[in-house]
Amino acid sequence: MAARGCPLEAVPLPADVREGLAELELELSEGDITQKGYEKKRAKLLACHMLLTQDVHTEAVQAALAKYKERRMPMPSKRRSVLVYPSADTCTPPDTSSASEDEGPSRRPGRLTSTPLQSHGSIEPWLGQVLEASSSSSSASSHPGGRPAAAPWAATALTGPTADAHIGVPVSSRVSSRIQQLLNTLKRPKRPPLREFFMDDFEELLAVRQTDPNRPKPEGSQMVVLKGEPLAAEAPQPPSLLAALQRWGTTQPKAPCVTALDTAGKAVHVLTYGKLWSRSLKLAYTLLNKLTSKNEPLLKPGDRVALVFPNSDPVMFMVAFYGCLLAELVPVPVEVPLTRKDAGSQQVGFLLGSCGVALALTTDACQKGLPKAQTGEVATFKGWPPLAWLVIDGKHLTKPPKDWHPSAQGAGAGTAYIEYKTSKEGSTVGVTVSHTSLLAQCQALTQACGYSEAETLTNVLDFKRDAGLWHGVFTSVLNRMHVISIPYALMKVNPLSWIQKVCSYKARAALVKSRDMHWSLLAQRGQRDVSLSSLRMLIVADGANPWSISSCDAFLNVFQSRGLRPEVICPCASSPEALTVAIRRPPDLGGPPPRKAVLSMNGLSHGVIRVDTEEKLSVLTVQDVGQVMPGANVCVVKVEGTPYLCKTDEVGEICVNSIATGAAYYGLPGITKNIFETVPVTAEGVPVSDRSFTRTGLLGFIGPDDLVFVVGKLDGLMVVGVRRHNADDIVATALAVEPMKFVYRGRITVFSVTVLHDDRIVLVAEQRPDTSEEDSFHWMGRVLQAVDSIHQVGMYCLALVPANTLPKAPLGGIHISETKQRFLEGMLHPCNVLMCPHTCVTNLPKPRQKQPEVGPASMVVGHLVAGKRTAQASGRELAHLEESDQARKFLFLPDVLQWRAHTTPDHPLFLLLNAKGSVTSTVTCVQLHRRAERVAAALMEKGRLCVGDHVALVYPPGVDLIAAFYGCLYCGCVPVTVRPPHPQNLTTTLPTVKMIVEVSKSACVLTTQAIVRLLKSKEAVAAVDVRTWPTILDTDDTPKKKVASIFRPPSPDVLAYLDFSVSTTGVLAGVKMSHAATSALCRSLKLQCELYPSRQIAICLDPYCGLGFALWCLCSVYAGHQSVLVPPLELESNVSLWLSAVSQFKARVAFCSYSVMEMCTKGLGAQTSVLRMKGVNLSCVRTCMVVAEERPRIALTQSFSKLFKDLGLPARAVSTTFGCRVNMAICLQVQTRPENEVKGGSSDSLLQGTAGPDPTTVYVDMRALRHDRVRLVERGSPHSLPLTESGKILPGVKVIIAHTETRGPLGDSHLGEIWVNSPHNATGYYTVYGEEGLHADHFSARLSFGDTQTIWARTGYLGFLRRTELTDASGERHDALYVVGSLDETLELRGMRYHPIDIETSVTRAHRSIAECAVFTWANLLVVVVELAGLEQDALDLVALVTSVVLEEHHLVVGVVVIVDSGVIPINSRGEKQRRHLRDGFLADQLDPIYVAYNM
């Protein structure tokens, strides 16, 4: 190993500097310049050279960056209000690649069949390149636009309200160009190819890290224990530190002990040894005799006492410390808690509580500055125990009697003091140090440093802990030294203050950190008459850090001309557990010459020492930290597992055996045994010593001349994959990248977070206030390149925060654990952030390789062999009702309405409420009949329509819509209900209305006078040409006319109405409903919901499509019940309207949407007591059904039930329904009615009631679901996903689960597509071009095996059937249908099928500021859009949280994170997210995002 070290050599000067020095020598010799001028110019010339010449590591960083070509970073999109430091030009630079060359001809806006992907003709060329180039990076195998190719149930490929605006988006649009930039950065991925590994059917394993066969391995022999020189015993030593204090206090009372300085550098207090002794006696007497509690002494020997003193008051601290020792109390020095939320203060409080501290000592000035409670006493800090505070200024202490002498001996194994230590994770422990160890440490330091009596020591460190305490408070007293204490506040004002004090006091020793040397270098220009010739030792307390060597070398280069000798600089290594481990000694104390080692970073990452002479980029230059302390034995052991001795060329943890080490962690015997009682063993397992060693937490090795080298700390160790990296090394590399231009005062920290079972490196830095956003990303890009080149490791996250915002340690450094905690909690508040998961996450599971599918026949045989039944279920049979007179009488709805108008003319059918809860209109059977006749007459006379013509009904929710619908049926026209345009948003909503009118081939538009005026307004004309509308009739003033004859369809299969809606994927689809299907739907709902003329139901649904339209317009006429209609828009002005209406009319059956339920939950959750006082009572509700076309939202329904339980809502009342385009009512759950509640209706109606079991909830493995499998697990299992059944299957409905590709039947609890057979199935899609054949398969599908005769309709939804142990009314076992999600919505990523709702649920849980979330794919990128519920300045906190949670729970890499305002994610009337609209708006840059982050 001797050959691997290299002695310290003088840095060669450049030729120009040598020439300048030669000219100066010539001028001096010729008398052209004075000696003073010569020294000034020479120092200036060398100073310039110092600033130009960096250390070896800095040169390596610059060389590494030079190897890279300038690469464009994908700049984020940020709102101006988010910029913490706005600059003159913070907008995104234009893309350098030309987009115009690839742009195809623009599409005609009116072309209705163009899909969103086709409309981006200019994107296809680069899209293909990206898919090919970055497949290994993201392994996404999604179809363009994120939709599976085999999902053809989109009838009319229109993108809804914003379709026209999205056609022909050029690549040069703001967001699209950034996505292209991002994808370009992925063309050369850093990830290694994934190796083969075992994957269990249900247990996804992360990629197994293969050990590199070419990795360096240790080759040296096994090391031997290194023994330090024995402790000298020539001079008579005092038996204890207290004995030394008594000796000096009585024999040399005038000798100065410590000098305290103010922020101006003036000596404000000089404490002599006589004063220290007398004041300590007074304090000890006061503590033991004057503090009582209930006539008992408050303190007894061995009790712990907190010392709370500021860094600027060493005088009172020393009095308090030695006073406690004299009183046989155990001092616990802690920091002053300036606020109730200081960084790490809570953990310190936990330590004080565990130590049983009841008293805190402080000064009068400090006590006045502490936060106070209302009583005027010191406030109780978070996590702190109740404390009594004692001010120890002289006037508060009692002088002891002359005959009183303290009994403390200050020797033995008893605990002398407790020093706190903060661990890597932020927890605080107390290291106990015995009196024996304290004295031995002082003697060892005295011998190693050659301290002598009356020497002067300048101390810049914190005197309350570590080296500042050991040198400046203990060893100085042992040797009657004079300590000049430099407070941190003075160093901030004048970084040269410590050098000036060394000069003025002729100090022989100085105790500093490399940071102090660095800042004094920057401040030394223009300073004269500064001499360091008096120094014999400059102790560098953090000499073990990798960046200390550059500070030491640079400091020597500048101050060598001012008397500083090279051998004076003495780095040392220490730890709270082992105290001082090693220190470099000057040659006059017998120290060997200093050494440097240039080590290979690659070797160090594998724990091996290799001197790198060829590759100068990835090297680490370290300096020795001197020899082992006197009286100590040192060895190096393996970091993990059994403490085997390392080999001589192997890096391990340094362990120390000495009497001068800490004894234990207070109150933690388990951890104490692991750290303080380690027994190193040889490779054969033989203990190396009969005495235990203490682990230091320092990583290093023993070099030539028995010098100790430290390469890192265990707290900063980050294990990425199979390689180890040290946080300090990454910091040194980052600081070498333009540190003075960018990083504010060098404040930068690195730590690791665990994501996906591996450490991920995070770098956080404070940026200068004048830095622009472009400069920020330029610097982050250079740091990425430097770290990648030098350390061969990828960074996970780089976050930049404003200056002075990171939590500070007591002496101004960064509080690392608190910073990490803020990062993990989303409380860091960065102003710029860059995530790089694509390059650093290399342990993703292998993408799923789809195997050749098993044929349907084989699957059926397999089910039979396994004893599984085919997944098929059905509702009650309707065959016995089909032949009855009632069924024939109720075959056509117009006939039903006429019959009711004749038999029960005054029976009210509809009640419409307004926002105030008042009934605005009531319609009876005969009134509805007459209004329908007037509409029919107007259509025949004014519209001149023929039988079969289509009529668009553009009405607000109300009775007019219902009358217009039946008016169309009376004259044989086909009604099409259309949501009216929103008056405040005509430009977006009116094109959708026009689109439906055109697609449905409507010959006429029926509406109200108000909407007619709206359609002809200036804003409407600007959006849609008024001349293109068909005939528009308003029905407000239709004359009281009757039609000659009411149209009766010749066949039940004649078209009754068209049902148009925009799906969640943004596709507008219209389905055809025949008269037979319409009547069958009403009949099925009547039986399932027990709807009779005496029944009253409440409806809060949009009446324009699906089951909402059927309940609003059809069912009341068919079944005769009364419907209380609540338009959902009215809830925006009165959110309690829905619940008040249900209570007011005592509705037993209620229907609403998820959006209504969410409005009630969010808006009324805290107002249940107010509603109760207003008389709202929901105990009347038997069933509240949520109408939806999606997977049931369990969390929302459960929270709704819990919130309004106080209003009497039964626990079982809320249930869900399921319908879709091909069949709008497949499942619907109604709670069973007790017999004593049967009122109205015959006994037959009771028999027809829908008795059935409660909905069941199962838990499935989410990972299996991605592979299209169902695996049932227990509640609370990892990766479990709750699914509740969607309701009971309606009468006459049959359901089967079919394979999505083979179309064969599947078995019980197998995931497949839900197929439905029912009399009320829609008869087909209606399209403008009449291409029903393209989608006829959806309505006339047949199984490929088994029952091939039955005709089914494909719902386009994935789900499964499961036979439960429950029984239904017929005594059969109940078959539960579970809906998983829409096939159209699924994301095909990494060969697996993801449901957006699962990813969105994970993201929403990541942070309390996330109000809503939506995901979609573009090309091979996963885009996450998050609605922010907090402040815009907090938006960037979400980027890392969102990326990490998706990686952790779904094994997906997020490509883009978009932060938007609340309400940006489009929601349809059913409360379903319109993800396709959102994607189109994102690509067209219409979201006005707060921040768009592009993950690399």
Side-chain angles (χ1 to χ4, degrees):
M1 192 60 215
R4 291 199 173 102
C6 48
L8 181 68
E9 297 177 356
V11 180
L13 297 175
D16 57 340
V17 178
R18 288 200 301 271
E19 290 175 5
L21 290 175
E23 290 179 4
L24 280 178
E25 295 282 354
L26 184 62
E27 290 179 6
L28 181 64
S29 62
E30 294 178 352
D32 294 338
I33 189 172
T34 64
Q35 180 69 31
K36 195 171 183 180
Y38 164 77
E39 291 179 356
K40 180 179 178 181
K41 288 189 175 182
R42 181 178 182 274
K44 189 175 182 180
L45 200 60
L46 290 173
C48 294
H49 164 62
M50 184 279 298
L51 294 174
L52 291 174
T53 26
Q54 304 292 330
D55 63 295
V56 178
H57 192 70
T58 305
E59 293 176 4
V61 170
Q62 302 304 327
L65 293 176
K67 290 179 62 177
Y68 285 82
K69 294 180 180 179
E70 193 64 25
R71 189 171 63 181
R72 292 193 65 82
M73 293 286 296
M75 290 286 289
S77 173
K78 184 187 290 186
R79 217 183 258 172
R80 287 276 177 182
S81 57
V82 186
L83 295 175
V84 180
Y85 303 113
S87 59
D89 181 17
T90 53
C91 62
T92 305
D95 191 9
T96 54
S97 60
S98 172
S100 59
E101 294 177 1
D102 295 331
E103 287 180 0
S106 60
R107 302 279 181 176
R108 184 162 59 88
R111 184 151 179 87
L112 299 171
T113 56
S114 62
T115 64
L117 181 65
Q118 291 168 339
S119 61
H120 294 268
S122 57
I123 297 178
E124 293 172 1
W126 66 266
L127 180 64
Q129 297 169 8
V130 168
L131 285 172
E132 181 180 358
S134 59
S135 59
S136 64
S137 177
S138 67
S139 304
S141 57
S142 62
H143 296 281
R147 292 177 56 210
W153 38 79
T156 309
L158 293 171
T159 55
T162 56
D164 291 348
H166 300 154
I167 295 176
V169 178
V171 155
S172 58
S173 71
R174 192 167 167 226
V175 177
S176 302
S177 63
R178 291 201 185 88
I179 292 178
Q180 185 172 356
Q181 287 181 18
L182 170 64
L183 294 176
N184 286 338
T185 65
L186 303 179
K187 286 185 177 179
R188 289 178 294 177
K190 298 292 183 185
R191 292 183 49 189
L194 289 170
R195 297 177 177 83
E196 293 295 328
F197 66 97
F198 174 73
M199 181 186 288
D200 187 63
D201 277 347
F202 297 117
E203 201 70 25
E204 283 184 350
L205 300 177
L206 300 180
V208 176
R209 291 282 166 64
Q210 302 293 333
T211 305
D212 183 7
N214 299 319
R215 73 185 188 284
K217 300 176 182 177
E219 301 168 353
S221 59
Q222 182 174 280
M223 75 162 297
V224 295
V225 176
L226 180 63
K227 298 181 183 291
E229 62 186 274
L231 274 172
E234 299 101 6
Q237 296 285 347
S240 69
L241 199 57
L242 292 179
L245 174 61
Q246 182 178 12
R247 173 187 172 188
W248 303 129
T250 53
T251 63
Q252 302 281 345
K254 298 288 183 70
C257 175
V258 61
T259 298
L261 307 178
D262 61 10
T263 53
K266 295 181 180 179
V268 291
H269 201 154
V270 178
L271 180 70
T272 63
Y273 279 93
K275 288 288 185 183
L276 175 60
W277 172 245
S278 62
R279 291 184 183 181
S280 300
L281 280 175
K282 286 173 66 176
L283 177 60
Y285 178 76
T286 303
L287 291 173
L288 291 177
N289 298 282
K290 296 300 179 181
L291 300 180
T292 58
S293 175
K294 297 179 181 179
N295 297 325
E296 293 290 331
L298 181 66
L299 301 169
K300 54 183 181 295
D303 283 353
R304 276 71 56 197
V305 177
L307 306 190
V308 185
F309 292 88
N311 181 253
S312 58
D313 198 348
V315 171
M316 300 308 294
F317 175 80
M318 289 188 74
V319 170
F321 198 97
Y322 283 104
C324 288
L325 294 185
L326 286 170
E328 297 184 284
L329 301 174
V330 180
V332 186
V334 296
E335 307 303 331
V336 178
L338 298 179
T339 67
R340 296 194 181 198
K341 296 181 180 179
D342 274 4
S345 175
Q346 183 175 354
Q347 295 295 332
V348 171
F350 291 155
L351 171 64
L352 297 180
S354 64
C355 291
V357 173
L359 177 69
L361 308 184
T362 187
T363 64
D364 189 44
C366 181
Q367 198 257 1
K368 289 179 180 177
L370 293 173
K372 301 294 191 299
Q374 293 180 347
T375 58
E377 298 179 353
V378 177
T380 301
F381 300 98
K382 186 176 181 181
W384 283 45
L387 293 179
W389 292 81
L390 175 65
V391 176
I392 66 165
D393 295 67
K395 59 184 178 181
H396 299 280
L397 302 182
T398 305
K399 188 175 181 180
K402 290 185 178 180
D403 58 346
W404 184 84
H405 298 287
S407 59
Q409 300 299 318
T415 301
Y417 74 100
I418 297 175
E419 179 174 328
Y420 79 88
K421 174 206 171 182
T422 302
S423 70
K424 179 180 180 180
E425 301 305 324
S427 59
T428 300
V429 294
V431 179
T432 62
V433 180
S434 67
H435 289 281
T436 303
S437 298
L438 178 59
L439 181 62
Q441 174 73 2
C442 294
Q443 293 170 346
L445 285 176
T446 300
Q447 181 174 335
C449 300
Y451 287 139
S452 59
E453 282 188 34
E455 269 194 328
T456 302
L457 169 71
T458 303
N459 179 25
V460 189
L461 305 188
D462 184 1
F463 50 75
K464 298 190 290 293
R465 58 199 304 259
D466 293 334
L469 179 66
W470 308 328
H471 289 263
V473 177
F474 300 155
T475 311
S476 62
V477 170
L478 185 70
N479 296 287
R480 194 175 66 82
M481 295 169 62
H482 180 198
V483 178
I484 313 298
S485 183
I486 313 290
Y488 174 64
L490 174 58
M491 286 295 293
K492 285 201 297 185
V493 176
N494 179 14
L496 271 179
S497 56
W498 71 274
I499 296 179
Q500 294 166 349
K501 297 307 170 188
V502 167
C503 183
S504 59
Y505 283 91
K506 305 296 183 191
R508 300 278 289 154
L511 186 62
V512 299
K513 284 191 174 182
S514 56
R515 175 197 63 189
D516 307 316
M517 302 168 72
H518 175 74
W519 290 115
S520 60
L521 283 177
L522 300 178
Q524 57 86 24
R525 297 183 185 178
Q527 291 289 328
R528 302 179 181 178
D529 303 329
V530 173
S531 173
L532 297 178
S533 58
S534 65
L535 279 181
R536 64 174 186 82
M537 281 194 82
L538 178 58
I539 303 170
V540 185
D542 61 345
N545 283 332
W547 57 75
S548 65
I549 184 172
S550 60
S551 297
C552 293
D553 290 350
F555 190 82
L556 178 62
N557 284 339
V558 171
F559 287 97
Q560 191 168 2
S561 62
R562 305 187 187 185
L564 182 68
R565 300 185 302 277
E567 65 272 12
V568 165
I569 297 179
C570 300
C572 72
S574 61
S575 77
E577 294 84 0
L579 309 188
T580 307
V581 177
I583 188 168
R584 188 190 291 174
R585 305 173 199 181
D588 57 348
L589 294 176
R595 298 272 187 167
K596 288 182 183 176
V598 182
L599 306 177
S600 163
M601 284 280 193
N602 182 51
L604 286 176
S605 69
H606 291 283
V608 178
I609 303 160
R610 290 290 180 269
V611 175
D612 200 322
T613 56
E614 297 179 0
E615 178 60 58
K616 293 191 176 181
L617 296 185
S618 55
V619 296
L620 176 68
T621 305
V622 294
Q623 62 182 349
D624 71 276
V625 290
Q627 294 173 294
V628 179
M629 293 294 290
N633 299 326
V634 167
C635 65
V636 181
V637 301
K638 295 188 181 296
V639 176
E640 298 173 351
T642 306
Y644 289 106
L645 286 179
C646 290
K647 296 183 178 179
T648 53
D649 60 344
E650 190 176 4
V651 174
E653 184 177 5
I654 299 173
C655 295
V656 176
N657 164 247
S658 168
I659 57 172
T661 62
Y665 290 136
Y666 186 89
L668 301 171
I671 311 177
T672 294
K673 187 171 182 63
N674 293 336
I675 301 298
F676 294 89
E677 300 174 20
T678 297
V679 180
V681 295
T682 63
E684 294 78 24
V686 179
V688 298
S689 171
D690 56 351
R691 292 188 294 179
S692 60
F693 282 65
T694 299
R695 289 181 177 267
T696 63
L698 301 175
L699 302 176
F701 60 94
I702 307 300
D705 297 332
D706 291 340
L707 292 175
V708 178
F709 286 81
V710 176
V711 296
K713 297 179 181 177
L714 206 57
D715 278 352
L717 192 65
M718 302 176 293
V719 182
V720 182
V722 294
R723 298 173 60 207
R724 298 185 297 192
H725 304 273
N726 204 275
D728 290 337
D729 298 341
I730 308 286
V731 169
T733 299
L735 281 173
V737 181
E738 303 172 320
M740 303 313 301
K741 294 181 183 178
F742 188 81
V743 180
Y744 178 72
R745 295 181 66 88
R747 289 177 60 77
I748 185 170
T749 185
V750 170
F751 52 85
S752 64
V753 295
T754 302
V755 180
L756 210 60
H757 308 287
D758 205 353
D759 280 357
R760 311 294 177 191
I761 301 176
V762 179
L763 182 147
V764 181
E766 292 183 0
Q767 68 178 33
R768 292 171 61 92
D770 54 351
T771 307
S772 68
E773 185 182 11
E774 191 169 352
D775 290 341
S776 301
F777 279 84
H778 174 75
W779 181 81
M780 287 193 284
R782 290 172 66 82
V783 170
L784 281 178
Q785 295 166 1
V787 172
D788 178 66
S789 176
I790 292 175
H791 303 274
Q792 289 90 44
V793 67
M795 302 286 291
Y796 180 66
C797 176
L798 291 93
L800 301 177
V801 299
N804 280 322
T805 57
L806 288 180
K808 292 183 179 180
L811 285 188
I814 297 175
H815 200 290
I816 300 176
S817 60
E818 182 74 14
T819 302
K820 177 178 177 179
Q821 191 64 28
R822 291 189 186 181
F823 175 82
L824 293 174
E825 293 176 354
M827 300 295 290
L828 194 60
H829 307 328
C831 51
N832 285 299
V833 67
L834 179 63
M835 300 291 299
C836 309
H838 289 92
T839 53
C840 76
V841 179
T842 58
N843 64 329
L844 285 172
K846 185 178 178 181
R848 177 190 177 196
Q849 304 293 331
K850 292 189 177 181
Q851 302 298 326
E853 293 293 348
V854 180
S858 303
M859 294 182 72
V860 171
V861 172
H863 296 328
L864 291 173
V865 172
K868 291 186 176 179
R869 68 180 193 91
T870 301
Q872 186 171 354
S874 59
R876 287 178 295 150
E877 293 291 336
L878 292 178
H880 65 282
L881 293 173
E882 296 293 344
E883 305 300 326
S884 66
D885 293 336
Q886 187 182 27
R888 286 194 293 272
K889 180 171 60 179
F890 282 14
L891 187 57
F892 301 107
L893 278 178
D895 296 347
V896 178
L897 180 55
Q898 294 175 69
W899 176 75
R900 292 203 180 278
H902 178 70
T903 57
T904 56
D906 298 324
H907 177 68
L909 287 179
F910 300 102
L911 277 76
L912 181 69
L913 302 186
N914 60 11
K916 296 180 180 179
S918 305
V919 178
T920 56
S921 58
T922 304
V923 179
T924 63
C925 298
V926 69
Q927 288 171 340
L928 181 60
H929 169 66
R930 289 170 182 168
R931 292 177 67 168
E933 283 189 315
R934 290 201 294 270
V935 172
L939 284 173
M940 301 296 287
E941 293 178 10
K942 294 182 182 180
R944 303 181 185 278
L945 300 183
C946 303
V947 172
D949 283 346
H950 297 177
V951 178
L953 310 182
V954 186
Y955 288 91
V959 178
D960 289 339
L961 173 67
I962 304 171
F965 176 81
Y966 285 99
C968 291
L969 296 186
Y970 274 15
C971 66
C973 294
V974 178
V976 183
T977 53
V978 184
R979 183 194 312 277
H982 199 287
Q984 277 77 43
N985 195 11
L986 276 178
T987 54
T988 302
T989 56
L990 189 57
T992 306
V993 177
K994 183 65 166 57
M995 196 184 309
I996 296 176
V997 171
E998 286 185 356
V999 171
S1000 63
K1001 288 185 178 179
S1002 294
C1004 177
V1005 175
L1006 283 184
T1007 185
T1008 63
Q1009 286 182 359
I1011 294 178
V1012 169
R1013 288 194 297 269
L1014 189 63
L1015 296 179
K1016 295 180 179 180
S1017 63
K1018 291 182 180 180
E1019 295 86 352
V1021 172
V1024 174
D1025 188 356
V1026 71
R1027 293 170 296 181
T1028 59
W1029 288 102
T1031 304
I1032 300 178
L1033 298 178
D1034 77 78
T1035 56
D1036 285 352
D1037 296 321
T1038 51
K1040 296 183 179 181
K1041 291 186 178 181
K1042 293 185 178 181
V1043 290
S1045 62
I1046 294 177
F1047 174 77
R1048 182 177 176 83
S1051 164
D1053 296 326
V1054 170
L1055 185 62
Y1057 70 96
L1058 292 178
D1059 188 306
F1060 273 89
S1061 73
V1062 179
S1063 71
T1064 55
T1065 55
V1067 177
L1068 179 66
V1071 295
K1072 299 182 288 188
M1073 289 292 290
S1074 66
H1075 282 276
T1078 304
S1079 298
L1081 172 65
C1082 294
R1083 185 187 317 119
S1084 196
L1085 288 171
K1086 175 181 182 295
L1087 292 173
Q1088 189 81 339
C1089 300
E1090 301 177 342
L1091 302 177
Y1092 310 107
S1094 60
R1095 182 63 49 81
Q1096 197 172 41
I1097 69 172
I1099 302 171
C1100 189
L1101 296 167
D1102 266 342
Y1104 300 108
C1105 61
L1107 186 55
F1109 166 77
L1111 291 168
W1112 190 288
C1113 295
L1114 307 180
C1115 288
S1116 282
V1117 172
Y1118 186 90
H1121 60 273
Q1122 187 182 71
S1123 294
V1124 179
L1125 307 177
V1126 181
L1129 278 176
E1130 303 290 358
L1131 267 68
E1132 294 181 3
S1133 54
N1134 180 10
V1135 71
S1136 63
L1137 172 63
W1138 163 237
L1139 298 181
S1140 300
V1142 171
S1143 171
Q1144 177 186 348
F1145 292 95
K1146 293 184 169 50
R1148 298 172 62 193
V1149 178
F1151 293 89
C1152 68
S1153 63
Y1154 279 122
S1155 57
V1156 171
M1157 189 169 280
E1158 196 164 20
M1159 288 176 69
C1160 293
T1161 304
K1162 292 181 178 179
L1164 301 173
Q1167 301 179 26
T1168 51
S1169 57
V1170 177
L1171 292 175
R1172 195 185 309 112
M1173 291 175 62
K1174 290 182 178 180
V1176 176
N1177 186 355
L1178 302 180
S1179 59
C1180 57
V1181 178
R1182 189 184 69 184
T1183 302
C1184 176
M1185 283 172 276
V1186 189
V1187 175
E1189 296 183 9
E1190 60 177 306
R1191 180 200 301 176
R1193 302 187 198 174
I1194 300 178
L1196 180 58
T1197 55
Q1198 287 179 347
S1199 62
F1200 183 85
S1201 299
K1202 290 178 181 177
L1203 276 175
F1204 300 110
K1205 180 177 65 175
D1206 293 343
L1207 298 180
L1209 182 69
R1212 299 165 49 200
V1214 179
S1215 61
T1216 58
T1217 69
F1218 174 63
C1220 60
R1221 290 281 73 207
V1222 299
N1223 188 315
M1224 58 188 67
I1226 298 173
C1227 298
L1228 192 148
Q1229 182 78 31
V1230 179
Q1231 296 301 333
T1232 307
R1233 180 174 52 161
E1235 288 188 21
N1236 57 3
E1237 290 186 14
V1238 178
K1239 295 179 182 177
S1242 62
S1243 59
D1244 293 336
S1245 66
L1246 178 61
L1247 294 175
Q1248 294 171 357
T1250 172
D1254 289 340
T1256 57
T1257 298
V1258 297
Y1259 293 84
V1260 299
D1261 191 327
M1262 197 186 310
R1263 298 166 301 173
L1265 215 56
R1266 298 171 198 155
H1267 295 268
D1268 291 340
R1269 295 195 299 268
V1270 175
R1271 181 193 179 203
L1272 299 179
V1273 295
E1274 294 296 324
R1275 179 181 181 180
S1277 300
H1279 310 285
S1280 62
L1281 173 71
L1283 293 176
T1284 190
E1285 67 173 292
S1286 296
K1288 187 179 178 184
I1289 298 174
L1290 264 69
V1293 177
K1294 296 179 181 178
V1295 170
I1296 196 168
I1297 306 299
H1299 196 281
T1300 54
E1301 295 176 8
T1302 66
R1303 301 193 181 185
L1306 292 174
D1308 190 85
S1309 297
H1310 278 62
L1311 188 69
E1313 185 181 0
I1314 301 170
W1315 288 13
V1316 60
N1317 171 274
S1318 165
H1320 61 259
N1321 276 3
T1323 54
Y1325 280 120
Y1326 182 88
T1327 65
V1328 69
Y1329 299 111
E1331 296 172 344
E1332 293 91 341
L1334 292 176
H1335 312 285
D1337 179 52
H1338 281 192
F1339 296 90
S1340 58
R1342 297 176 188 267
L1343 292 172
S1344 59
F1345 191 84
D1347 179 10
T1348 58
Q1349 300 304 313
T1350 306
I1351 297 177
W1352 303 87
R1354 299 177 57 188
T1355 63
Y1357 282 81
L1358 288 172
F1360 62 94
L1361 280 166
R1362 177 174 175 266
R1363 175 153 287 184
T1364 66
E1365 298 299 324
L1366 306 173
T1367 56
D1368 53 24
S1370 62
E1372 300 279 336
R1373 287 177 64 185
H1374 173 61
D1375 293 313
L1377 175 64
Y1378 299 92
V1379 178
V1380 175
S1382 168
L1383 266 170
D1384 244 355
E1385 288 273 314
T1386 55
L1387 310 175
E1388 289 282 343
L1389 296 167
R1390 299 179 55 77
M1392 291 172 280
R1393 196 193 305 274
Y1394 287 86
H1395 296 272
I1397 184 64
D1398 297 330
I1399 302 176
E1400 291 159 0
T1401 301
S1402 299
V1403 171
T1404 306
R1405 289 199 310 261
H1407 195 270
R1408 63 178 179 274
S1409 293
I1410 298 177
E1412 191 54 90
C1413 166
V1415 301
F1416 55 84
T1417 55
W1418 173 249
N1420 59 346
L1421 292 176
L1422 176 65
V1423 182
V1424 179
V1425 181
V1426 169
E1427 287 185 355
L1428 179 68
L1431 300 174
E1432 285 188 2
Q1433 285 75 12
D1434 305 342
L1436 276 71
D1437 283 313
L1438 306 182
V1439 176
L1441 295 178
V1442 168
T1443 305
S1444 297
V1445 75
V1446 176
L1447 258 174
E1448 191 76 49
E1449 297 188 12
H1450 302 279
H1451 300 173
L1452 291 175
V1453 177
V1454 177
V1456 186
V1457 180
V1458 187
I1459 315 293
V1460 296
D1461 295 310
S1462 293
V1464 169
I1465 297 174
I1467 306 289
N1468 67 11
S1469 60
R1470 296 183 297 272
E1472 299 161 346
K1473 299 169 188 172
Q1474 301 283 293
R1475 298 181 182 90
R1476 181 63 60 86
H1477 287 334
L1478 182 67
R1479 189 188 71 166
D1480 292 339
F1482 168 70
L1483 295 174
D1485 198 17
Q1486 296 174 343
L1487 301 183
D1488 185 25
I1490 299 171
Y1491 193 82
V1492 183
Y1494 304 94
N1495 291 345
M1496 293 184 64

